[in-house]
Amino acid sequence: MEVAAKLSILADAAKYDASCSSSGAKGRRGGAKGLGSTEGTGICHSYTPDGRCVSLLKVLLTNYCIYDCQYCINRRSSDVRRARFKVDELVALVLDFYRRNYIEGLFLSSGIIRTPDYTMEQLIAVAKTLRREHGFAGYIHLKTIPDASPELLDEAGRWADRLSINVELPTQENLDRLAPEKQLVQITGAMGRMKERIAEAKADAAPRRTLPRFAPAGQSTQMIVGATEATDTTILHTASELYRGPELRRVYYSGFSPIPDAAAGLPLIATPLVREHRLYQADWLMRFYGFEARELTTPKAPNLDLGLDPKTSWALRNRERFPVDLNLADREELLRIPGLGTRNVKRILAARRWHRIRLADLARMRVPLKRALPFIITDDHRPRLLNPDALDLRDRIAPKGSQTDLFETAFAALHGEL
C-alpha cells in the first residue's frame, strides 16, 4: 500500500481522539484562487501554554488492534480498511511535512498490535528516531499503552513532550461492559508512575541536571461522554480524581457519536455537543475557579443544565450567597460570580486599590452585565427587579433559544472568562 493511502486511512482513524481537534474537518480545497486544504492529511492544531497555535500531524501508527472496545472504530471486530506505517515511513513523512512547513509537531497514537510492549516499542522507535537521528526538536505527543512495562513508559517520556493514556470511560463498571480488556486501576497506576517521573525530572532542575527531561508538558487523558448511562456527576468526579491524584494537565471530553457496525449496546444517536461543552466549562471551574466537582451537580439533577452555564446554575442554587459587593469581596467570592472570569477578577482587585468599582468600570472590562447584574453590588448599582431571589431570574438571564453561542465559547476557551 502506498504511503499516501496509509496516511489517508490512519489520519482518518485518529480523528476520534479529542486531544487534538481539527483533523476531522470536512474535506475542502482552496483551489486555484484560494489557499490551504482540509483534505485527509491529518494535520490538526493544538495550543501551547503561552497561547501559540501549532500544527500537528495527528495520525495512528496502525489501526489494527487486538482489543475489541465496542465504542472504537478500530476495534478487532470492525470492518474497516486497515493499514500500518513502518517506523521509517512515518519518520520520513514527519520530516517531509516539517520541511514543507506543514506541521510543527506530531501527535501519535496506535491500535494494539501483538502485545502492549511491542506496540509501545514501535511508538517509541518513531519518537526516538526523530530526536536522535534527525535532531527533531518539534513537539511530540505520544499516546501510551497502560499495559506496557514501566521501563517502556519511562523511555517514552524521554522522547515525548506530552504523554497520555485514555481512560475512555469513567468507571470500571462501564469499562467491563464496553472495553473488558481495560482496567481502570491499571490505567491510573500507569498515570501515577508517570506523575512520579515527571516530578523527579522537574526537581532535577539544576544547571548540571543528572536526569533526562521527562514529558515536560505533562500528561492528559480522554473520556467518552454518552456511550453509557454515566452521569455528569460521575464523569466530573472521575476527572477531579485524575487532577488530584496523577495530577493530569488536561482531561478531554469526547461526545460519543455512532460508528459503523456499532455494537447493540451503544446509543443510536450522537451525544449533544452542548453536553460536551458544559463539561468543559465545569472542568474549567474545577481547575481555575476553586469549585469542587460535588458543587456542580446535585443528587436530583446529576447532569449539567444544557440551557445554562454551570457557574450560573450553581449561583441560582445558592442565591443566599448573593449579591456580592465587588468593592469588598475577596478573590474567591468574586470568582464565583456569573460573568466574572479570572482575568476580570484580577482587574477588579487592581482597580479598587485606587477607586470604588462602578458599572462603567465593568462595561470597560467587557463584563457580560446581563448575566452579572443580579448577583453584584457596585457603588452605583444594587439589584432590585433583577435581585437574586426573583423567581423568574433563570428565564431572564438564560440565553434565548437552544443554540450555543460559538463566539462566546471561543472567547471563553482563550481567556477563561466564565
Side-chain angles (χ1 to χ4, degrees):
M1 184 182 291
E2 296 290 328
V3 171
K6 293 182 182 181
L7 178 61
S8 175
I9 294 171
L10 296 173
D12 188 68
K15 70 184 180 185
Y16 296 95
D17 200 309
S19 299
C20 302
S21 61
S22 66
S23 66
K26 191 174 181 180
R28 184 176 61 246
R29 283 179 181 272
K33 297 182 179 178
L35 184 69
S37 166
T38 60
E39 295 291 340
T41 51
I43 296 175
C44 66
H45 300 97
S46 187
Y47 289 89
T48 61
D50 61 1
R52 287 179 301 118
C53 177
V54 295
S55 302
L56 305 177
L57 173 61
K58 180 180 176 182
V59 71
L60 298 186
L61 183 69
T62 178
N63 64 343
Y64 288 101
C65 192
I66 60 174
Y67 288 179
D68 202 33
C69 306
Q70 294 185 27
Y71 49 78
C72 182
I73 188 71
N74 303 313
R75 67 191 186 280
R76 182 178 63 231
S77 58
S78 178
D79 185 24
V80 296
R81 290 183 71 196
R82 305 283 180 174
R84 177 183 171 183
F85 279 124
K86 296 176 183 175
V87 170
D88 58 345
E89 286 177 336
L90 186 52
V91 168
L93 197 63
V94 172
L95 294 174
D96 187 35
F97 277 18
Y98 188 81
R99 287 171 180 144
R100 291 168 184 252
N101 205 27
Y102 292 170
I103 61 168
E104 294 165 279
L106 171 67
F107 176 96
L108 181 60
S109 184
S110 180
I112 312 295
I113 43 177
R114 297 191 192 177
T115 65
D117 276 359
Y118 178 77
T119 308
M120 200 66 241
E121 287 169 358
Q122 297 295 298
L123 293 171
I124 291 170
V126 173
K128 187 175 179 179
T129 304
L130 283 168
R131 296 284 197 224
R132 295 190 71 173
E133 295 185 17
H134 301 282
F136 182 74
Y139 179 88
I140 296 179
H141 180 158
L142 286 185
K143 284 283 178 185
T144 50
I145 315 298
D147 304 346
S149 65
E151 295 76 18
L152 290 171
L153 297 182
D154 280 354
E155 187 171 7
R158 291 177 57 195
W159 309 113
D161 294 282
R162 171 166 285 189
L163 298 176
S164 56
I165 302 176
N166 282 352
V167 70
E168 305 291 18
L169 297 169
T171 67
Q172 184 58 51
E173 183 183 2
N174 287 173
L175 287 173
D176 289 342
R177 192 175 128 205
L178 298 183
E181 288 101 341
K182 295 189 174 182
Q183 297 293 317
L184 196 56
V185 171
Q186 203 167 27
I187 294 171
T188 54
M191 290 174 173
R193 286 194 297 275
M194 288 197 284
K195 169 196 166 185
E196 292 175 3
R197 291 287 292 112
I198 292 169
E200 287 174 4
K202 282 185 178 176
D204 186 36
R208 294 183 178 181
R209 60 166 58 227
T210 56
L211 296 175
R213 65 177 217 154
F214 188 92
Q219 53 177 331
S220 59
T221 192
Q222 167 182 280
M223 269 194 282
I224 299 171
V225 178
T228 67
E229 299 80 11
T231 64
D232 292 345
T233 299
T234 303
I235 292 168
L236 291 173
H237 176 76
T238 300
S240 176
E241 291 299 311
L242 292 174
Y243 285 130
R244 288 180 180 174
E247 297 181 359
L248 264 60
R249 294 287 292 272
R250 284 294 303 272
V251 175
Y252 292 90
Y253 306 94
S254 177
F256 172 78
S257 54
I259 56 177
D261 302 319
L266 291 174
L268 297 176
I269 58 174
T271 302
L273 287 179
V274 69
R275 183 181 179 194
E276 185 182 294
H277 174 59
R278 295 297 181 217
L279 282 168
Y280 276 114
Q281 288 182 315
D283 184 280
W284 203 280
L285 292 179
M286 291 193 297
R287 290 193 294 144
F288 302 112
Y289 287 73
F291 281 81
E292 300 284 341
R294 58 182 169 76
E295 296 180 279
L296 298 169
T297 56
T298 67
K300 288 185 178 179
N303 288 316
L304 296 168
D305 186 340
L306 299 185
L308 210 55
D309 69 87
K311 192 204 271 191
T312 305
S313 293
W314 173 86
L316 290 175
R317 292 195 303 272
N318 294 273
R319 299 183 188 212
E320 71 282 0
R321 300 178 64 151
F322 298 97
V324 171
D325 192 331
L326 298 192
N327 289 294
L328 299 174
D330 59 26
R331 181 176 183 275
E332 286 67 32
E333 291 176 295
L334 294 175
L335 283 173
R336 288 182 174 249
I337 297 172
L340 286 192
T342 53
R343 186 177 55 168
N344 278 333
V345 165
K346 187 176 180 181
R347 287 172 174 167
I348 289 170
L349 291 172
R352 75 185 193 189
R353 294 168 60 190
W354 306 102
H355 64 86
R356 293 183 64 78
I357 301 297
R358 301 173 66 84
L359 288 183
D361 298 313
L362 302 183
R364 280 193 292 273
M365 296 176 194
R366 298 177 61 189
V367 170
L369 292 177
K370 179 183 175 185
R371 203 179 338 155
L373 281 180
F375 303 100
I376 61 172
I377 295 173
T378 63
D379 221 29
D380 57 347
H381 167 75
R382 181 175 290 272
R384 290 191 177 88
L385 289 177
L386 286 177
N387 74 76
D389 295 325
L391 296 178
D392 62 346
L393 181 57
R394 185 189 187 286
D395 294 334
R396 294 189 186 201
I397 61 176
K400 303 303 178 190
S402 58
Q403 184 172 356
T404 301
D405 185 339
L406 296 179
F407 294 100
E408 181 185 15
T409 304
F411 184 80
L414 286 173
H415 302 289
E417 302 290 315
L418 292 175

